Amino acid sequence: MSASRDGRSKEPRRPARGPAARGGRPDRLRRPARDGERGPRPRPPAGGGTRSRRPAPPRPSPLLRRRFRRVDPQRRIKFALVLMSAVLLLFAGRLVYIQGFNAATYAEAASDLRMATIDIPTTRGSITDASGRAFAMSVEVRTVFVDPVEIDEKESEKVVAELASRFTLDPKDVRAKVQAEPSRYQVVKRNVSPEDWEELAELGLQGVGAEKGYKRVYPDETGAADLVGFVGTDGAGLEGLEAVMDDTLAGRPGKQQVETGANGQQIPMAGGYSREPVPGQDVRLTLDADVQWYAQQALAERAEELEADGGSVIAMRPNGEVVAMADYPTYDPADIGSTSGEQRKNGSVAEVFEPGSTNKVITAAGALEEGVTTPETVYTVPYSMRVQDRTFKDSHVHDTERMTLNGIMAQSSNVGTIKVGRQLGAQGLYDYLSAFGFGRPTGLALPGEESGVLRHPDDWWGTQLASVSFGQGLSVTAMQMASVYATIANGGVRVEPTLVAGTVGGDGELDPSEAPKERRVVSEKTAEEVSLMLEAVTGDQGTAQQARIEDYRVAGKTGTANRVDPETGSYKTGGYTSTFVGFAPADDPGLIVQVVLHNPQKEYYGGQAAGPLFTDVMSFGLKTLKIPPTETEAPKIRLFEDD
């Protein structure tokens, strides 16, 4: 088929291609060829003739041909302005809320970032004797510290050398604290005296500071460690009176606001304290420091001489005021780490033992008070006596004798006392033992205080009445037994023992303690009759002649009791408890002394073991307390029927 002049096909069935066929659309608006398509043939040049055919250039991509409409910039500007206005409005509202409605809260929060409240230590009250001499006191000290950030690196070694040599410390340990950044507080030495700190402060070492505090001090050799106790590292009482009276002694720390500077330095705020520190009150005891010290020394010497396991000495007035309370073994409250619980135990109230013959005074007093006997009632007293399946014996062999009640006490006869106890009866004996204070605490409320053991008669077995009447089958503390003899010395009126005379505040005035409870146990007549019996114990025919004191009439009683072996539960291998308790002058009692030695090895009879210690402490106490000598002669007491 021939081509037309313009080169187009004359095929009648093939429609014409190109823009002309679709209404004359110009070439520049033709659809670009897609991938794989062939583009339109180029138009031949005007004037005819044959032209060489060149391949058509590729059509541009549709994306490059997309047309964008220009957006009005005013719309964008308006939108941005609205958005910025909203943000600024939000900020403005928050600012108004902070500064207008909640300004105080945020100001306080900001202040808290640089403000702090610190405790201001206060002085712990002293524990003193009756005249104000200290058993425990607080002294002002300093805690020396370093601020590593403040120490100039060039001066670091100088600071280390000075602190190490001044306080006798290992330079390595000091250097570690000086270089402990970013720490701002490293303690170098505690309990530094104010004088030593002043000397150090004069050197002007940058980054070295000190805090004020107080240290508890116990004067050397007071002899009252077991009673007074000690405090912990935080200054709180842990044992003894330090613990019992902690609320009174401790006081109340103060509070102070400080502002922390950029360098971490605390700056006290003007206006001082938010709470003033309140010093603790002093606790004044009824003790006499001299008698306490002497009793402790004498006890330690005697216990070591006899190789005793332990012991105690109590001195008290008839009105229940404790003058001395010594214990062995004891300890140094300034060196708690090297002590044991046994050493720190206050044996005067915490150690129980069978009272032995010292208990006979209660059997005699009860029988006299009930009217079942008299001081001169005569008893037939053999050396031994069978009670059911057990044989009881006196401490020394003797023929059967006719003794008065006075003689039974003076000779300390177990057999004679059993007969008196039978007259009183189990219930009667129990009632008087209880009335004299057995089976319950003394009222001192000291840590570790024991009540002893006193069973009700319903629980007594066949031989219990016999054994209890002369001091076996029950247990007491030294303070309980001392209180019994104080009751006799006080005319039959029992006054609860007291240790605390009162408290002393900042004004120096004594606020007396509440008066102790008192109760009449036996009549004054009975107490006087028993006193004469006890005086006979130290007489020419008594068992404790070594307890005599020149110019004084002395009433007392020996005691030797078996100890129960805790491992076997029997008396056989338990050893002995040696006791002596009495008062002087016998006609006008001023001082009671109780001596207890636990398991002495070289001598165990109460008169020989405990008697000399009683005489020693009683003699010193009478002179120290200025108790006048006896002005009357001891009456003659009938001990045997033939006297």
Side-chain angles (χ1 to χ4, degrees):
M1 182 176 288
S2 61
S4 64
R5 187 180 304 175
D6 58 3
R8 297 181 181 176
S9 173
K10 293 183 179 182
E11 177 68 44
R13 292 178 296 180
R14 181 177 297 175
R17 295 182 178 179
R22 293 191 295 270
R25 186 176 180 180
D27 290 342
R28 62 185 180 89
L29 296 180
R30 291 176 182 170
R31 179 179 62 84
R34 293 188 178 91
D35 292 342
E37 290 185 343
R38 297 179 59 185
R41 297 177 179 177
R43 183 178 298 176
T50 304
R51 294 182 298 177
S52 61
R53 295 184 178 181
R54 293 180 297 178
R59 295 185 179 183
S61 170
L63 294 177
L64 296 178
R65 298 180 61 218
R66 183 178 298 171
R67 299 180 64 189
F68 293 93
R69 293 181 301 173
R70 296 183 62 186
V71 179
D72 188 356
Q74 293 296 324
R75 293 180 60 188
R76 294 184 178 181
I77 294 174
K78 290 179 181 179
F79 178 77
L81 288 175
V82 170
L83 182 61
M84 291 175 62
S85 299
V87 172
L88 291 175
L89 185 62
L90 179 63
F91 286 164
R94 184 63 177 168
L95 184 62
V96 170
Y97 172 75
I98 292 174
Q99 294 189 342
F101 296 99
N102 212 18
T105 301
Y106 282 90
E108 182 179 356
S111 176
D112 289 343
L113 293 176
R114 67 179 190 279
M115 302 291 292
T117 300
I118 61 174
D119 288 335
I120 304 300
T122 188
T123 308
R124 186 176 178 86
S126 298
I127 300 176
T128 73
D129 78 342
S131 61
R133 288 174 291 183
F135 289 120
M137 58 190 294
S138 294
V139 296
E140 186 176 314
V141 294
R142 298 290 187 271
T143 297
V144 177
F145 66 90
V146 293
D147 181 350
V149 175
E150 286 295 301
I151 297 176
D152 190 333
E153 186 176 351
K154 297 179 181 179
E155 298 291 321
S156 177
E157 285 304 315
K158 178 181 177 182
V159 172
V160 171
E162 185 63 40
L163 294 176
S165 61
R166 186 174 293 270
F167 299 128
T168 317
L169 301 173
D170 188 340
K172 293 182 179 179
D173 294 337
V174 177
R175 186 176 295 105
K177 294 180 178 181
V178 168
Q179 298 175 353
E181 297 185 17
S183 173
R184 303 300 304 269
Y185 181 85
Q186 291 287 319
V187 173
V188 176
K189 182 69 174 179
R190 300 184 187 276
N191 298 326
V192 176
S193 69
E195 295 76 17
D196 290 344
W197 162 244
E198 289 298 330
E199 291 181 7
L200 178 60
E202 290 176 358
L203 300 178
L205 299 177
Q206 186 175 353
V208 179
E211 292 178 323
K212 180 180 178 181
Y214 296 93
K215 175 186 177 182
R216 201 61 168 170
V217 174
Y218 303 92
D220 294 339
E221 299 182 345
T222 62
D226 299 83
L227 172 62
V228 172
F230 57 90
V231 300
T233 55
D234 60 351
L238 295 182
E239 287 192 15
L241 291 174
E242 290 276 31
V244 173
M245 304 295 295
D246 189 60
D247 290 343
T248 301
L249 293 165
R252 188 183 68 181
K255 298 285 186 182
Q256 185 178 32
Q257 282 191 327
V258 296
E259 184 173 0
T260 304
N263 61 356
Q265 182 69 30
Q266 290 183 340
I267 307 169
M269 294 297 296
Y273 302 106
S274 60
R275 186 178 76 186
E276 292 285 340
V278 179
Q281 292 181 298
D282 293 346
V283 173
R284 183 174 295 179
L285 306 180
T286 59
L287 300 185
D288 182 276
D290 292 333
V291 179
Q292 175 69 36
W293 177 85
Y294 191 88
Q296 182 64 49
Q297 302 305 310
L299 170 62
E301 290 177 7
R302 188 61 174 167
E304 291 171 4
E305 178 185 354
L306 299 181
E307 299 178 2
D309 292 345
S312 60
V313 172
I314 296 172
M316 63 190 301
R317 302 181 191 274
N319 64 358
E321 292 182 353
V322 179
V323 177
M325 184 184 290
D327 194 57
Y328 178 86
T330 187
Y331 66 98
D332 180 1
D335 187 21
I336 300 301
S338 63
T339 65
S340 65
E342 187 67 22
Q343 288 176 301
R344 300 195 301 268
K345 182 172 65 174
N346 186 354
S348 296
V349 295
E351 186 79 28
V352 295
F353 58 93
E354 293 191 352
S357 294
T358 56
N359 191 65
K360 293 173 182 176
V361 68
I362 298 179
T363 305
L368 289 170
E369 187 69 16
E370 293 300 315
V372 297
T373 189
T374 68
E376 295 196 0
T377 298
V378 178
Y379 295 84
T380 299
V381 182
Y383 163 65
S384 64
M385 180 179 182
R386 184 81 174 175
V387 178
Q388 294 192 12
D389 61 342
R390 184 177 175 188
T391 299
F392 295 93
K393 300 177 182 179
D394 283 345
S395 59
H396 61 281
V397 178
H398 61 82
D399 295 332
T400 298
E401 296 176 311
R402 296 278 289 171
M403 294 183 182
T404 64
L405 181 56
N406 292 330
I408 290 173
M409 290 294 292
Q411 295 289 305
S412 193
S413 171
N414 295 336
V415 173
T417 305
I418 291 173
K419 292 191 173 186
V420 177
R422 282 180 170 179
Q423 290 178 283
L424 181 58
Q427 186 62 51
L429 179 57
Y430 171 84
D431 290 342
Y432 278 97
L433 291 168
S434 179
F436 272 100
F438 289 179
R440 65 177 185 274
T442 61
L444 291 175
L446 291 175
E449 182 174 5
E450 294 285 347
S451 299
V453 177
L454 176 63
R455 296 184 178 88
H456 192 273
D458 292 345
D459 298 323
W460 290 5
W461 55 89
T463 61
Q464 191 82 36
L465 173 59
S467 61
V468 170
S469 64
F470 66 85
Q472 287 187 346
L474 74 165
S475 64
V476 299
T477 65
M479 181 54 69
Q480 286 176 324
M481 185 53 71
S483 179
V484 170
Y485 282 74
T487 301
I488 298 299
N490 198 41
V493 177
R494 182 182 186 273
V495 183
E496 283 190 348
T498 56
L499 268 169
V500 180
T503 58
V504 180
D507 57 1
E509 295 294 325
L510 176 68
D511 182 14
S513 298
E514 184 179 348
K517 298 178 182 179
E518 57 181 66
R519 167 191 177 185
R520 178 165 291 281
V521 179
V522 295
S523 66
E524 188 171 354
K525 178 185 177 183
T526 296
E528 183 178 352
E529 291 173 342
V530 172
S531 294
L532 290 174
M533 295 178 190
L534 294 174
E535 190 172 3
V537 173
T538 64
D540 294 339
Q541 294 178 288
T543 59
Q545 299 176 31
Q546 69 273 24
R548 295 175 180 176
I549 298 174
E550 186 177 359
D551 297 329
Y552 289 89
R553 289 169 57 182
V554 179
K557 187 71 188 73
T558 60
T560 307
N562 295 93
R563 293 171 59 86
V564 176
D565 188 334
E567 295 183 1
T568 63
S570 68
Y571 290 122
K572 186 173 293 186
T573 57
Y576 297 90
T577 297
S578 303
T579 60
F580 195 103
V581 55
F583 50 85
D587 56 330
D588 186 17
L591 187 65
I592 297 94
V593 172
Q594 163 82 59
V595 173
V596 180
L597 293 172
H598 298 294
N599 199 27
Q601 299 298 309
K602 294 184 176 181
E603 182 66 69
Y604 63 86
Y605 281 112
Q608 286 72 38
L613 180 55
F614 165 86
T615 305
D616 191 10
V617 175
M618 176 64 82
S619 299
F620 183 87
L622 292 171
K623 294 176 182 178
T624 302
L625 301 177
K626 296 180 173 58
I627 298 174
T630 300
E631 296 181 356
T632 60
E633 292 290 333
K636 184 174 176 58
I637 301 176
R638 181 176 175 230
L639 305 183
F640 298 93
E641 184 179 36
D642 296 337
D643 289 347

